[in-house]
Amino acid sequence: FFSFARGMMQEEGQQQRQHRQLQQRQREQSPSPPSSSPPPSPPPPPLISEHDNHAKNEQQQTQQLQQLQQLQQERPITIELIRKRSEHNSNLISNLEEIALHQEELTSIGTTIGKVCGKTLRILLLQNNVISHLLVNELKYFKVLEYLNLALNNITVVRGFNGFSCSACNHESGNGSVDAPVNSSSSSSSS
């Protein structure tokens, strides 16, 4: 019985080989026009195991986390940025009265601008950045600041303004707690 089955299998294999050889010869002999035959279909996608899928998800999450960390890196106002935006003042930054630093993806004000321009700066426009917090030590160097625009930022925390005096407003902010999170995502402030 086994020898009979083995013989049948060999005969079937030989027939299949002959059939493939015949098909190959026919393809070689009859050139088919390129436009008449449909393009070959792409190979089927490889089967993805559950482990591979999990690894791919982890990789995507890692990439998203890295992108988020890059966005959250501290980017305060720098002297180079102030010089770049003070072209109208012959790049002199010590006597600037107004500067527009909008759409620069700034994450904080920092102390640099106050230390460099704080004695003369009256108008500071910081709208449409990604500033998330406002601290009193970032504004304490401004002596004559009259207008601070923080619209379209992500301000969620304002800290340290209890008892902070605002000479332009002629009042103190000691009425109530200012150390609480801000409810709105956009903020405009006058100092």
Side-chain angles (χ1 to χ4, degrees):
F1 173 76
F2 290 115
S3 62
F4 174 75
R6 191 176 314 136
M8 291 292 290
M9 288 171 47
Q10 288 175 351
E11 190 176 312
E12 285 178 13
Q14 188 176 8
Q15 287 176 354
Q16 287 177 352
R17 278 193 298 276
Q18 289 173 351
H19 181 68
R20 276 185 266 153
Q21 288 173 352
L22 179 63
Q23 285 180 337
Q24 186 176 1
R25 278 190 224 126
Q26 287 175 348
R27 274 187 253 135
E28 290 172 357
Q29 290 174 357
S30 64
S32 59
S35 61
S36 65
S37 65
S41 62
L47 296 176
I48 299 175
S49 69
E50 189 174 319
H51 175 71
D52 291 340
N53 198 15
H54 181 67
K56 187 176 180 180
N57 285 342
E58 282 186 16
Q59 184 181 12
Q60 287 175 345
Q61 288 175 350
T62 303
Q63 288 174 347
Q64 289 173 349
L65 182 60
Q66 289 172 348
Q67 290 172 350
L68 183 61
Q69 288 172 344
Q70 288 174 350
L71 290 174
Q72 291 178 342
Q73 287 179 347
E74 191 72 16
R75 184 156 193 253
I77 300 170
T78 62
I79 291 178
E80 294 80 22
L81 181 60
I82 297 169
R83 279 205 174 101
K84 175 182 155 188
R85 290 297 190 101
S86 64
E87 296 166 343
H88 64 281
N89 199 34
S90 302
N91 291 345
L92 295 175
I93 58 176
S94 61
N95 63 353
L96 271 178
E97 291 187 10
E98 177 180 346
I99 191 164
L101 299 171
H102 49 82
Q103 297 176 341
E104 289 288 339
E105 297 182 15
L106 298 170
T107 58
S108 68
I109 296 173
T111 57
T112 302
I113 191 166
K115 290 178 181 177
V116 175
C117 314
K119 293 180 181 176
T120 59
L121 196 65
R122 295 182 311 107
I123 299 171
L124 179 56
L125 305 173
L126 296 170
Q127 64 268 21
N128 205 8
N129 281 292
V130 288
I131 298 171
S132 62
H133 58 279
L134 186 61
L135 306 175
V136 72
N137 70 339
E138 295 177 329
L139 298 177
K140 68 182 179 183
Y141 298 101
F142 295 102
K143 302 301 179 196
V144 294
L145 187 66
E146 296 173 5
Y147 183 75
L148 172 64
N149 188 338
L150 293 168
L152 300 173
N153 276 284
N154 300 326
I155 301 214
T156 56
V157 176
V158 177
R159 286 208 177 104
F161 286 89
N162 286 342
F164 180 73
S165 91
C166 175
S167 58
C169 306
N170 222 2
H171 75 282
E172 292 194 13
S173 63
N175 305 337
S177 175
V178 184
D179 284 317
V182 176
N183 290 333
S184 65
S185 63
S186 65
S187 176
S188 181
S189 176
S190 178
S191 176

